[in-house]
C-alpha cells in the first residue's frame, strides 16, 4: 500500500487535470475518509504543482463534505495561491482565505506570514505592513523575526532601501525585537549593489549601537564596496576592525583577496605581497590561484616590483598551483605595455613549461617588442618557441611593424635599425655606417 501511495503522490504533481478527484478517491479507497489533514496535504501539493484552480475546487469540495478547516488550512491555502510574485495572486489567496473563514477556520501566524510574503514579493510592501498591523489588532500577535526578515528581504530585492531601513527601526521600537546579523547583511547587500559606501558605514555603526556583532560576511560586504568605489584606505580600515577585539571575526579567503585588491589599486605591490604572506600563515585559509593572480598583476604593473613575476610563477608551480591562461595573457600584455621584453620572454617560457598555450598574436607582439628594443638574443628564443609550437612565423611583418614603431623613438640610432635589418635578413644599409 505504501508503494500505491507513492504512485498516487506522483500523480498529484504530474496529472494536474484530475488531481483533486484522484486524491479524494485515494483517501476513500484506503478507508480513511477525507480528513482536514488530508485536505491540507492535498492543498499543499496542488500549490507546489502551481494549480491555483484546483486549490479553489478543493475548498469547494471540502465544504460539500462538511470537513471543517483547522488553523493550518488557511496557511496552506495562502502558500499555495500566493508567494510566487505573480500580480494579483495574493489577492486571490485572500479571497480563498475568506472562504476558509466562512467554513469556520481562522487565520493563524502561518497564514499571516504567508500573506506578508506574498504581498512583499508582488512589490506591495505597504500592503504587507497592513497585514502586520492586522496581526497585532485581530490576532493579538506581534510579528516575529521571520516575518520581518521576509519583509526586509523583499524590500531590498525591490530596491526599497529606505523602507527596509525603516522596518528595522519599527522592529526595534514597536515590537521590541532585536535585528540579527543576517538582517543587517541583507540591508548592506542592497547598499553595496548600489555602491553607496557611506550608507554601508552607517549600517555598520548602527549594528554597533544596538550591540549586533558583525560577521565575516558583514565585513566582506563593506570591504567589497570599498574596493568597488576605489576606497582602499576604507577597505584596510574595515579589515583592521575585523581582526581587532572585541568585535573581531576571523577573516576568510575573500577578506584577504579584497584587501589585496585594495592595495593593488593603490599600486602598492609590497603591501599586496605582505598580505599574501600573512594569508599563507593563516591555517584557516587556503591560498589559491586567484590570490596569486592579484599579486602577479600588481607586480606586472609596478615600476620597481619587490619580486619578479617569474619568481612568483615558479613559486606557484612549486606549490602545485596552476597559473591560468587568462593570468598569463594579462601579464604578457602588461609586459608589452611596459616595453619589457626580458620579462615577457621569460613569461612565455614559463607558459610553455606549464603547457599553457597563449595566442599566436601575443607571440608576434613579444617578438616585435624584442626587435623594437634591439634584443636579438631574446628574439631568437621567441622564434624557437614559435617554431616548436608550430605557430606561423612571419619575421618580415613582425620586424617591419616593429621598425615602424622604432622610427618614432628618437633614442634609437639609424645604425641600430640597419643592424637589426641585417640580422633579420631584410634589405639594409648597415655597411654604410
Amino acid at each position: 500500500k505504501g508503494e500505491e501511495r507513492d504512485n498516487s503522490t506522483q500523480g498529484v504533481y504530474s496529472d494536474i487535470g484530475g488531481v483533486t478527484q484522484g486524491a479524494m478517491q485515494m483517501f476513500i479507497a484506503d478507508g480513511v475518509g477525507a480528513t482536514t489533514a488530508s485536505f491540507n496535504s492535498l492543498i499543499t501539493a496542488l500549490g507546489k504543482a502551481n494549480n491555483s484552480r484546483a486549490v479553489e475546487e478543493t475548498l469547494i469540495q471540502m465544504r460539500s463534505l462538511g470537513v471543517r478547516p483547522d488553523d493550518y488550512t488557511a496557511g496552506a491555502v495562502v502558500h499555495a495561491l500566493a508567494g510566487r510574485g505573480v500580480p494579483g495572486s495574493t489577492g486571490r489567496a485572500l479571497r480563498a482565505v475568506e472562504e476558509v473563514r466562512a467554513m469556520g477556520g481562522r487565520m493563524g501566524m502561518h497564514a499571516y506570514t504567508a500573506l506578508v510574503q506574498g504581498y512583499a514579493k508582488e512589490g506591495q510592501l505597504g500592503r504587507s505592513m497592513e497585514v502586520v498591523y492586522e496581526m497585532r489588532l485581530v490576532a493579538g500577535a506581534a510579528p516575529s523575526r521571520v516575518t520581518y526578515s521576509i519583509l526586509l528581504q523583499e524590500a531590498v530585492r525591490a530596491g526599497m532601501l529606505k523602507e527596509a531601513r525603516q522596518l528595522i527601526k519599527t522592529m526595534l521600537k514597536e515590537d521590541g525585537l532585536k535585528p540579527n546579523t543576517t538582517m543587517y547583511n541583507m540591508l548592506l547587500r542592497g547598499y553595496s549593489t548600489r555602491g553607496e559606501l557611506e550608507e554601508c558605514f552607517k549600517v555598520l555603526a548602527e549594528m554597533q549601537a544596538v550591540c549586533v556583532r558583525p560577521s565575516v560576511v558583514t565585513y566582506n560586504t563593506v570591504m567589497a564596496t570599498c574596493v568597488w568605489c576605489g576606497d582602499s584606505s576604507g577597505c584596510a580600515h574595515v579589515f583592521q576592525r575585523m581582526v581587532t577585539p572585541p568585535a573581531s571575526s576571523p577573516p576568510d579567503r575573500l577578506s584577504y583577496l579584497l584587501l589585496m585588491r585594495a592595495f593593488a589599486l593603490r599600486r602598492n605591490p609590497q603591501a599586496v605581497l605582505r598580505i599574501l604572506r600573512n594569508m599563507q600563515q593563516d591555517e584557516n585559509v587556503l591560498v589559491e590561484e586567484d590570490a596569486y593572480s592579484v599579486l602577479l598583476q600588481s607586480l606586472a604593473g609596478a615600476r620597481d616590483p619587490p619580486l619578479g613575476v617569474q619568481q612568483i610563477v615558479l613559486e606557484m608551480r612549486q606549490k602545485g598551483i596552476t597559473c591560468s591562461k587568462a593570468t598569463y595573457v594579462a601579464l604578457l600584455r602588461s609586459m608589452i605595455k611596459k616595453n619589457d621584453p626580458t620579462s615577457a620572454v621569460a613569461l612565455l617560457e614559463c607558459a610553455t613549461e606549464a603547457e599553457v598555450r597563449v595566442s599566436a598574436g601575443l607571440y608576434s607582439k613579444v617578438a616585435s617588442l624584442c626587435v623594437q628594443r634591439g634584443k636579438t638574443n631574446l628574439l631568437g628564443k621567441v622564434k624557437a618557441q614559435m617554431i616548436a609550437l608550430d605557430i606561423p612565423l612571419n619575421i618580415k611583418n613582425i620586424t617591419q611593424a616593429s621598425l615602424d614603431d622604432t622610427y618614432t623613438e628618437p633614442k634609437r640610432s639609424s645604425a641600430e635599425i640597419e643592424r637589426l635589418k641585417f640580422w633579420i635578413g631584410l634589405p639594409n644599409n648597415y655597411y654604410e655606417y
Side-chain angles (χ1 to χ4, degrees):
K1 219 170 219 186
E3 186 177 350
E4 292 175 1
R5 278 182 178 275
D6 290 341
N7 293 335
S8 298
T9 303
Q10 291 297 324
V12 168
Y13 288 92
S14 58
D15 185 15
I16 297 176
V19 64
T20 305
Q21 185 177 359
M24 292 308 303
Q25 288 175 355
M26 178 185 72
F27 298 146
I28 296 170
D30 286 346
V32 177
T35 64
T36 304
S38 301
F39 272 107
N40 290 345
S41 299
L42 178 59
I43 290 169
T44 300
L46 290 169
K48 290 180 179 178
N50 294 328
N51 194 340
S52 303
R53 181 180 58 81
V55 171
E56 294 168 339
E57 290 177 357
T58 302
L59 287 178
I60 295 172
Q61 193 166 10
M62 193 174 180
R63 169 178 272 192
S64 66
L65 293 173
V67 179
R68 184 183 176 88
D70 58 14
D71 292 349
Y72 184 81
T73 306
V77 168
V78 177
H79 270 293
L81 297 178
R84 295 189 296 274
V86 179
S89 61
T90 308
R92 187 176 185 178
L94 193 57
R95 290 191 293 272
V97 167
E98 293 302 324
E99 177 71 18
V100 173
R101 282 174 166 168
M103 294 161 58
R106 65 191 184 97
M107 290 275 287
M109 284 294 294
H110 179 60
Y112 277 114
T113 303
L115 274 178
V116 168
Q117 184 176 22
Y119 279 121
K121 283 191 173 182
E122 290 184 27
Q124 300 186 50
L125 195 61
R127 189 68 184 90
S128 293
M129 289 305 300
E130 290 177 10
V131 175
V132 170
Y133 293 136
E134 185 181 335
M135 288 172 66
R136 292 195 187 96
L137 296 174
V138 179
S144 64
R145 280 192 183 85
V146 175
T147 307
Y148 275 110
S149 293
I150 292 169
L151 282 169
L152 189 65
Q153 180 180 3
E154 298 303 328
V156 171
R157 185 178 297 173
M160 304 167 68
L161 300 184
K162 289 184 179 179
E163 290 79 358
R165 197 82 162 267
Q166 186 60 41
L167 279 172
I168 290 182
K169 294 179 181 179
T170 303
M171 174 177 185
L172 279 165
K173 291 181 180 179
E174 297 188 17
D175 296 309
L177 293 174
K178 184 178 177 180
N180 55 29
T181 307
T182 303
M183 299 177 76
Y184 277 110
N185 287 346
M186 290 180 194
L187 188 58
L188 277 171
R189 278 195 294 272
Y191 284 121
S192 179
T193 303
R194 291 184 175 184
E196 298 187 24
L197 183 57
E198 185 178 349
E199 294 301 322
C200 287
F201 278 112
K202 286 181 180 179
V203 173
L204 205 56
E206 286 179 18
M207 294 179 70
Q208 184 177 5
V210 296
C211 300
V212 176
R213 184 172 181 174
S215 66
V216 65
V217 175
T218 309
Y219 288 119
N220 286 348
T221 303
V222 181
M223 289 174 67
T225 313
C226 289
V227 173
W228 178 259
C229 296
D231 186 1
S232 52
S233 299
C235 184
H237 170 73
V238 175
F239 186 88
Q240 187 63 37
R241 180 174 173 178
M242 176 169 56
V243 298
T244 303
S248 60
S249 180
D252 61 6
R253 190 171 65 89
L254 180 58
S255 308
Y256 284 107
L257 283 173
L258 289 169
L259 188 61
M260 290 175 70
R261 286 172 182 156
F263 280 100
L265 287 174
R266 295 175 68 173
R267 301 184 183 276
N268 190 344
Q270 291 86 353
V272 177
L273 178 61
R274 185 170 62 252
I275 296 164
L276 179 67
R277 298 307 181 211
N278 292 338
M279 189 178 180
Q280 290 171 331
Q281 294 173 5
D282 192 332
E283 297 178 353
N284 300 316
V285 176
L286 180 64
V287 180
E288 296 181 338
E289 193 266 341
D290 50 3
Y292 277 103
S293 178
V294 176
L295 174 61
L296 285 169
Q297 293 184 36
S298 179
L299 292 172
R303 291 184 177 179
D304 299 310
L307 283 176
V309 168
Q310 299 86 350
Q311 292 176 264
I312 299 300
V313 172
L314 180 60
E315 179 183 320
M316 291 175 67
R317 291 178 60 189
Q318 291 172 345
K319 292 180 178 293
I321 300 174
T322 303
C323 190
S324 68
K325 179 178 177 179
T327 301
Y328 276 114
V329 170
L331 291 173
L332 282 168
R333 286 174 177 168
S334 296
M335 299 303 177
I336 294 168
K337 187 176 181 180
K338 288 174 62 178
N339 291 324
D340 185 358
T342 304
S343 298
V345 173
L347 200 60
L348 280 177
E349 291 175 341
C350 290
T352 303
E353 291 174 7
E355 298 182 352
V356 175
R357 178 79 175 263
V358 298
S359 67
L362 275 176
Y363 275 96
S364 297
K365 287 183 179 179
V366 173
S368 298
L369 180 61
C370 292
V371 175
Q372 181 182 343
R373 307 303 294 179
K375 303 293 184 178
T376 54
N377 58 329
L378 294 178
L379 180 60
K381 292 182 179 181
V382 178
K383 284 174 59 179
Q385 289 187 51
M386 294 176 74
I387 293 170
L389 295 171
D390 293 327
I391 296 175
L393 183 65
N394 192 330
I395 288 292
K396 187 172 290 188
N397 289 345
I398 290 172
T399 309
Q400 192 59 50
S402 303
L403 293 176
D404 290 343
D405 293 336
T406 306
Y407 278 122
T408 63
E409 296 187 8
K411 293 183 180 179
R412 181 72 62 188
S413 69
S414 298
E416 289 175 315
I417 294 171
E418 296 304 320
R419 178 170 59 84
L420 283 172
K421 288 183 179 181
F422 172 78
W423 187 85
I424 295 298
L426 293 175
N428 61 87
N429 298 317
Y430 178 65
Y431 289 105
E432 294 181 7
Y433 288 90

